[in-house]
Amino acid sequence: MPEKRRIGVMGGTFDPIHNGHLVAASEVASALSLEEVLFVPTGKPWQKQEVSSAEDRYLMTVVATASNPQFKVSRVDIDRPGITYTVDTLTELKEQFPDADLFFISGADAIAQIIAWKDVDAVWDLAHFVAVSRPGHKLKLPKAPNGAISELEVPALSISSTDVRKRVGEGKPIWYLVPDGVVQYISKHHLYGS
Ligand code: NAP
C-alpha cells in the first residue's frame, strides 16, 4: 500500500498573516514530515466582528506564501457562505483529498474553542490537531481522544495580528513582522487605519 499523503491545514483569520504564522507552518511541516501546508483563511470567523474583508485576508495570504513551493492557499472557507466551522472546513477538504491524512494547525486558543464546539466528535475522524503557542503561554486543552492533539511551542509567535494592526494604526513600522509584500498590500489598500 502506498503511504498516504500528509497535508497540513493551517486555519486562521490572518488579519493580517504575519511571520509567526509562516514560521509555525514551517516548523510543523518539518516536525511532522508534511508534504505541503494549505493555508485556509477563515470566511466569517466564529464569534468575531470587525475583521478585514475575506478577499483582503485571502490576497495577503497568497502574497505571503507565494515564494514557498510547500505552501498553498485554499478558498474553501471564504467561498462557503455563513460562519466558518472547522468541522465544515475539514469535511470539504477531506472530499478534495480523500487519499490524504490531514493535520489541522492553529493557535492553541483557537483549538480549545473548536473542541468546545458542539459537533466536536465529528472532527477527530477528519484530522489530527496541532496546537501551536507562544513561549510561556500556559493552556489547558479540554478533553480529547488520546493522541488527537499535538502541541508545539513556536518562539516566533510572539508576533500577533492584533499587535500588527495596532502598530499600523499608530503609524509604527511593521517591516520584518510581516512579509514585505504584506506591508505593501496593507499600505496600498489603507488597511488598519494606514
Ligand atoms: P483567534 O481566536 O483569532 O486566535 C486565537 C489565538 O491563536 C491568537 O493568539 C492567534 O494569533 C492565534 N492563531 C490563530 N490562527 C493561528 C494559526 N494558524 N497559527 C498560529 N497561531 C494562530 O483564532 P481564529 O484566527 O479566529 O481561528 C483560527 C482557526 O480556528 C480558524 O480556522 C477558525 O475558523 C477556527 N475556529 C473554529 C471554530 C469552530 O469551529 N467553532 C471556533 C474558533 C476558531 P493571531 O491573531 O496572531 O493569528
Side-chain angles (χ1 to χ4, degrees), residues 45-59:
W46 189 69
Q47 293 195 339
K48 245 193 203 175
Q49 284 165 353
E50 305 230 6
V51 289
S52 308
S53 75
E55 221 47 61
D56 277 334
R57 293 182 290 104
Y58 168 76
L59 287 172

Side-chain angles (χ1 to χ4, degrees), residues 9-16 18 20-22 24-25 39-48 77 83-89 104-118 123 132-134 137 157 159-163 165:
V9 177
M10 180 77 166
T13 304
F14 303 135
D15 193 20
H18 54 66
H21 295 130
L22 297 167
F39 284 68
V40 188
T42 302
K44 240 175 172 293
W46 189 69
Q47 293 195 339
K48 245 193 203 175
D77 280 354
I83 291 172
T84 300
Y85 294 110
T86 300
V87 65
D88 299 331
T89 312
F104 186 83
I105 310 159
S106 200
D109 289 334
I111 290 197
Q113 283 177 27
I114 295 166
I115 293 170
W117 185 243
K118 60 181 163 73
V123 299
V132 292
S133 62
R134 44 188 65 99
H137 180 96
L157 278 175
I159 303 171
S160 80
S161 298
T162 307
D163 183 48
R165 292 195 300 269

Side-chain angles (χ1 to χ4, degrees), residues 141-159:
L141 287 169
K143 226 173 113 221
N146 259 353
I149 306 178
S150 308
E151 291 179 68
L152 190 71
E153 207 174 81
V154 180
L157 278 175
S158 55
I159 303 171

